[in-house]
Amino acid sequence: MWRCLCLRDGWRRLLSRPLGSPMASVRTGANIPSLSRAYAPLAERKKFYQNVSITQGEGGFEINLDHRKLKTPQAKLFTVPSEALAIAVATEWDCQQDTIKFYTMHLTTLCNTSLDNPTQRNKDQLIRAAVKFLDTDTIWYGVEIASSTSIMGPSIPDRTREVLVSHLASYNMWALQGIEFVVTQLKSVVLTLGLIDLRLTVEQAVLLSRLEEEYQIQKWGNVEWAHDYELQELRARTAAGALFVHLCSESTTIRHKLLQD
């Protein structure tokens, strides 16, 4: 009984950590470079604003909390390239209640990463970070990859790799940040591209990425306070990343409707 309680308390401490913390990256298995202590995200803080608004500046669209302009962890002015993305981010801030829960604000986090670039990665490095998952991808989805029954995985043709690199290079830096984020969540560049190309839903992509886990759950049972939380959190992260990519790579126009009495 004592061992069970200790394990339960340990999971609670893990789940209560902010998503950007080192322990939160254990689930994804990503080799995330360590950031400076100043950039480490806060888990929560008391809400200090009442109204959220959007203004257009020279560098893009800005988010205002009351009369304060939102800034990044590195104190840069928070500006996004499209009004649609600004509305989505503003909605995240507007949905916060008495406490600001930063670990639920995935779009804001992706924007901060794009603006600050804390790991100082360029476009080629982001593409390589995404394509490296192709070597261990367990899903085949419309690309030339042979199946394999070996633990080492199949051999990836050079042509396939070149096509994927060329395709990813067509995205801008902001969109690539989102793509690399989704690839890290799903552990699959193939599923990520299928999701972004609207050939898969978020639920389908997440399910396919969790085939091994689902098999283990069916065999050994489901831990509700761990597996269910993990599933919902993975869906939220994946959906936010896919939305971020679309809002950063598509030309969108917001039509403001005039309300008349």
Side-chain angles (χ1 to χ4, degrees):
M1 176 65 71
W2 179 83
R3 178 178 176 82
C4 182
L5 290 175
C6 286
L7 289 173
R8 184 183 295 270
D9 291 341
W11 269 103
R12 285 174 177 169
R13 288 195 296 271
L14 174 60
L15 298 182
S16 65
R17 287 176 177 267
L19 300 184
S21 67
M23 287 299 294
S25 66
V26 173
R27 159 65 182 86
T28 64
N31 295 321
I32 302 176
S34 59
L35 306 183
S36 65
R37 187 181 297 252
Y39 194 80
L42 296 173
E44 296 180 358
R45 68 170 293 182
K46 185 177 180 181
K47 188 175 180 180
F48 58 89
Y49 59 91
Q50 296 296 325
N51 301 307
V52 182
S53 61
I54 301 171
T55 56
Q56 185 172 8
E58 295 182 359
F61 294 88
E62 305 167 0
I63 309 297
N64 304 304
L65 307 178
D66 290 337
H67 299 294
R68 305 178 184 178
K69 292 185 180 296
L70 183 62
K71 293 189 177 181
T72 70
Q74 292 185 3
K76 296 179 181 177
L77 184 63
F78 189 100
T79 57
V80 297
S82 72
E83 187 177 8
L85 180 58
I87 292 174
V89 172
T91 301
E92 282 189 333
W93 286 88
D94 192 48
C95 288
Q96 304 301 306
Q97 302 300 318
D98 296 334
T99 301
I100 306 174
K101 299 180 179 180
F102 294 100
Y103 51 85
T104 66
M105 305 169 71
H106 305 305
L107 292 175
T108 300
T109 301
L110 284 166
C111 290
N112 283 332
T113 302
S114 297
L115 289 166
D116 286 346
N117 193 13
T119 55
Q120 298 299 308
R121 291 187 295 178
N122 57 32
K123 191 171 184 178
D124 289 339
Q125 289 172 320
L126 283 173
I127 293 175
R128 287 200 300 269
V131 173
K132 72 178 183 181
F133 281 88
L134 189 62
D135 295 318
T136 55
D137 213 315
T138 58
I139 301 294
W140 181 91
Y141 192 87
V143 294
E144 185 182 342
I145 302 177
S147 61
S148 173
T149 58
S150 169
I151 193 174
M152 300 303 294
S155 175
I156 309 299
D158 292 338
R159 177 57 181 167
T160 298
R161 198 180 301 274
E162 292 172 1
V163 169
L164 283 174
V165 170
S166 177
H167 177 70
L168 292 174
S170 66
Y171 289 91
N172 59 50
M173 276 289 292
W174 281 63
L176 280 174
Q177 291 282 4
I179 290 174
E180 197 266 340
F181 177 79
V182 178
V183 170
T184 302
Q185 306 309 309
L186 299 178
K187 299 293 185 299
S188 170
V189 64
V190 178
L191 287 178
T192 298
L193 294 178
L195 175 62
I196 292 173
D197 290 342
L198 304 180
R199 298 180 181 273
L200 294 171
T201 65
V202 171
E203 290 78 9
Q204 289 171 333
V206 169
L207 176 61
L208 289 171
S209 74
R210 286 169 48 91
L211 288 179
E212 297 174 17
E213 295 177 55
E214 292 296 332
Y215 171 79
Q216 296 296 332
I217 289 173
Q218 291 177 8
K219 185 174 182 180
W220 302 106
N222 183 47
V223 182
E224 294 182 1
W225 44 271
H227 291 142
D228 290 348
Y229 175 92
E230 187 180 63
L231 173 60
Q232 298 304 322
E233 186 58 34
L234 181 57
R235 285 178 177 174
R237 286 175 173 238
T238 302
L243 177 61
F244 183 83
V245 173
H246 283 288
L247 295 181
C248 292
S249 58
E250 294 181 352
S251 177
T252 57
T253 302
I254 304 299
R255 293 185 179 182
H256 298 276
K257 183 177 181 180
L258 298 177
L259 299 180
Q260 298 178 349
D261 295 335

